Amino acid sequence: METVQSIKQRFEIIGNDPKLNRAVEKAIQVAPTDISVLVVGESGVGKESIPKIIHSLSHRKHGKYIAVNCGAIPEGTIDSELFGHEKGSFTGANNAREGYFEVADGGTIFLDEVGELPLTTQVRLLRVLENGEFIKVGSSQVQKTNVRIVAATNVNMFDAIEKGKFREDLYYRLSTVEIGLPALRERKDDIHLLFRKFASDFAHKYKMPAIKLDDDAVKYLLNYRWGGNIRQLRNSAEQISVLETKREISLQTLISYLPQDGTSLPSVIGGKKSDTDFSTERDILYKVLFDMKSDLNDLKKLTLELMKNGAKVQDINPNLIQKVYGKSDEETFFEEQPHNAVIPKNEVVEQEEFEDEDEDDNNYLFAETVEEEEVLKLEQKEIELIKKSLEKNKGKRKAAADELGISERTLYRKIKQYDL
């Protein structure tokens, strides 16, 4: 049997952490069998190495090895990718196609990010695990396959099961043996070793001397929270190797290449979103709707007050105008009152304040008999005010608008409307 050390050298696995060694040891032990294996660990810890070890040490090593990233395949086509399809089974299926389970018959399939599989695909996968049977998309013929499945995930499977995103029976079929890989921050003694290996590789690749960290930089490297794990460490080593002209890397230089809080990289966050978050959003939405209803009622009151007072703005409650329009009463006078405004009949009839039918009729008649000459008087007053303000400010529109309490845009519109 292969030793842990020889396997690590063969697959270029760097580190001597006990948890890492235990993961490699379990892979060696389960390789000769056909049981399903689930590899768990954070993104970037190197989970893809374990399925390769298992396949190379199994009796299937001469068969095909196919790695499938379940999260990268669209939901609408993943069944076709895994199980194949018949010609004409869906739009674009111009030819029949063999799926991975048919192609890899006698070999191994590695399902990376298996937690991203749609529920319908999970049912098909469960059938393959139970009796080796599958059906192509668009076919009714049952086919057999002899494939070993090794899966990997970076999500909390129990949370996914609780939320109904992953089938519990499928989880237990996949995780006959579970192999966990530790995060890089849990392997502090291996961090500098890995960094030096990456620095050496990039020095050879880019034909330049290898970078080295001073003592302070090494201490910072070991205590940094590597959210992206080995992948982040490798990328950082490559950036520094290419961009820095000095080969001796100081603490300040290293810090400049690393996010200070360690949270700028995408990572899997444990726990579930609280239901109170949705409750709060719903309460805010209700409040907005009630405020809109209140503003609408205030607008109706304002309309009636305009009518009762002969549409004289100075007699209107300024607080009411401010609440409805969010502007001063003078600006509302100029900007909000439409030319030749006619009050809709239903706006008067539907007022909740008028419970008596006779009073409703009076208001209806009142709205119908608004005199045109009153509207003309208002227009004339508006024109006179604008003319006086423009004359006083020597034609300067901005100054005139400020004096009138309206925006320059509104003043320009009024000048154009009245041909001043």
Side-chain angles (χ1 to χ4, degrees):
M1 179 182 286
E2 298 263 11
T3 64
V4 172
Q5 194 62 33
S6 65
I7 289 297
K8 285 175 15 181
Q9 290 177 352
R10 179 175 165 186
F11 289 91
E12 297 185 339
I13 298 174
I14 309 297
N16 296 305
D17 183 80
K19 292 181 180 178
L20 176 65
N21 290 339
R22 178 55 182 158
V24 175
E25 184 182 353
K26 288 173 73 173
I28 295 172
Q29 290 174 333
V30 302
T33 70
D34 273 339
I35 58 179
S36 301
V37 178
L38 180 64
V39 186
V40 297
E42 294 181 9
S43 179
V45 296
K47 296 187 293 295
E48 64 279 356
S49 298
I50 300 299
K52 292 178 181 177
I53 294 173
I54 292 173
H55 176 71
S56 65
L57 299 181
S58 71
H59 62 85
R60 300 172 180 269
K61 61 184 177 182
H62 298 297
K64 284 187 175 293
Y65 173 81
I66 298 178
V68 183
N69 189 327
C70 302
I73 304 175
E75 183 174 344
T77 61
I78 191 165
D79 284 352
S80 172
E81 293 287 328
L82 294 177
F83 308 107
H85 65 257
E86 295 292 350
K87 181 179 179 180
S89 56
F90 54 85
T91 303
N94 299 322
N95 297 294
R97 181 187 184 280
E98 293 183 345
Y100 297 137
F101 279 97
E102 188 174 358
V103 174
D105 189 18
T108 305
I109 288 183
F110 170 43
L111 299 177
D112 196 9
E113 296 186 29
V114 71
E116 303 297 327
L117 281 176
L119 288 172
T120 53
T121 308
Q122 292 178 31
V123 176
R124 288 172 173 262
L125 180 59
L126 182 60
R127 184 175 183 181
V128 174
L129 285 166
E130 288 179 341
N131 50 33
E133 295 179 348
F134 69 94
I135 301 176
K136 285 185 175 182
V137 177
S139 173
S140 59
Q141 182 180 356
V142 177
Q143 295 183 238
K144 297 284 277 186
T145 184
N146 180 18
V147 172
R148 182 181 192 168
I149 296 176
V150 180
T153 183
N154 58 6
V155 303
N156 188 318
M157 296 301 284
F158 291 106
D159 281 351
I161 291 169
E162 184 181 347
K163 295 175 182 176
K165 295 181 179 179
F166 202 84
R167 292 178 63 96
E168 187 174 9
D169 49 1
L170 177 58
Y171 167 73
Y172 287 114
R173 288 307 301 264
L174 287 172
S175 62
T176 307
V177 172
E178 187 172 294
I179 299 177
L181 286 175
L184 184 59
R185 59 183 171 275
E186 298 173 7
R187 303 168 47 193
K188 288 193 175 183
D189 293 339
D190 294 340
I191 295 176
H192 192 207
L193 186 64
L194 283 163
F195 186 88
R196 286 186 299 177
K197 173 64 168 62
F198 294 145
S200 176
D201 291 343
F202 293 128
H204 182 266
K205 179 179 179 180
Y206 299 117
K207 296 179 174 57
M208 58 178 63
I211 57 173
K212 295 181 181 179
L213 302 178
D214 64 21
D215 293 340
D216 291 336
V218 171
K219 290 179 182 178
Y220 187 85
L221 188 81
L222 299 181
N223 292 304
Y224 182 76
R225 179 181 176 85
W226 295 96
N229 292 292
I230 297 173
R231 187 178 293 121
Q232 183 186 4
L233 180 66
R234 185 180 186 279
N235 289 347
S236 299
E238 185 170 17
Q239 286 184 58
I240 298 171
S241 296
V242 173
L243 299 178
E244 290 300 317
T245 54
K246 294 182 179 179
R247 298 290 91 183
E248 183 79 18
I249 306 302
S250 65
L251 173 61
Q252 291 302 319
T253 302
L254 177 63
I255 289 175
S256 67
Y257 284 92
L258 299 175
Q260 295 310 299
D261 57 1
T263 59
S264 67
L265 293 174
S267 60
V268 178
I269 301 175
K272 58 183 180 179
K273 185 175 180 180
S274 172
D275 293 337
T276 56
D277 294 342
F278 301 105
S279 177
T280 302
E281 293 173 4
R282 185 174 61 248
D283 291 343
I284 293 173
L285 181 59
Y286 284 157
K287 185 178 184 304
V288 170
L289 291 174
F290 283 129
D291 288 344
M292 289 174 63
K293 182 179 179 182
S294 176
D295 289 345
L296 182 59
N297 290 334
D298 290 336
L299 182 60
K300 291 178 180 179
K301 292 178 184 178
L302 177 61
T303 303
L304 288 173
E305 194 167 345
L306 277 167
M307 292 162 54
K308 290 179 180 179
N309 290 278
K312 294 180 180 179
V313 177
Q314 59 268 29
D315 297 330
I316 302 174
N317 184 350
N319 294 327
L320 186 58
I321 298 176
Q322 184 71 19
K323 181 177 180 182
V324 175
Y325 295 103
K327 304 174 183 176
S328 64
D329 51 355
E330 292 86 354
E331 185 169 353
T332 301
F333 172 76
F334 284 102
E335 190 166 353
E336 302 296 343
Q337 301 305 317
H339 179 57
N340 292 338
V342 178
I343 308 301
K345 300 177 184 179
N346 60 332
E347 290 292 333
V348 182
V349 176
E350 292 178 1
Q351 295 303 312
E352 296 178 356
E353 298 88 23
F354 301 98
E355 298 180 359
D356 186 81
E357 290 186 3
D358 293 336
E359 194 169 352
D360 284 340
D361 293 339
N362 291 335
N363 284 309
Y364 175 80
L365 293 173
F366 180 74
E368 284 291 307
T369 56
V370 175
E371 297 181 4
E372 182 68 22
E373 62 182 72
E374 188 68 27
V375 177
L376 294 175
K377 288 180 180 179
L378 287 172
E379 289 182 5
Q380 190 61 39
K381 289 178 181 179
E382 190 174 343
I383 293 170
E384 290 176 3
L385 283 172
I386 293 173
K387 284 182 176 179
K388 288 181 180 179
S389 182
L390 287 170
E391 291 173 1
K392 180 180 177 182
N393 292 280
K394 299 179 180 179
K396 295 181 179 179
R397 292 176 181 172
K398 189 176 188 311
D402 291 340
E403 184 179 24
L404 292 169
I406 60 177
S407 66
E408 190 175 356
R409 177 181 58 81
T410 302
L411 178 59
Y412 179 79
R413 179 165 55 83
K414 291 294 182 181
I415 292 173
K416 188 174 180 182
Q417 178 183 345
Y418 298 130
D419 194 24
L420 298 180

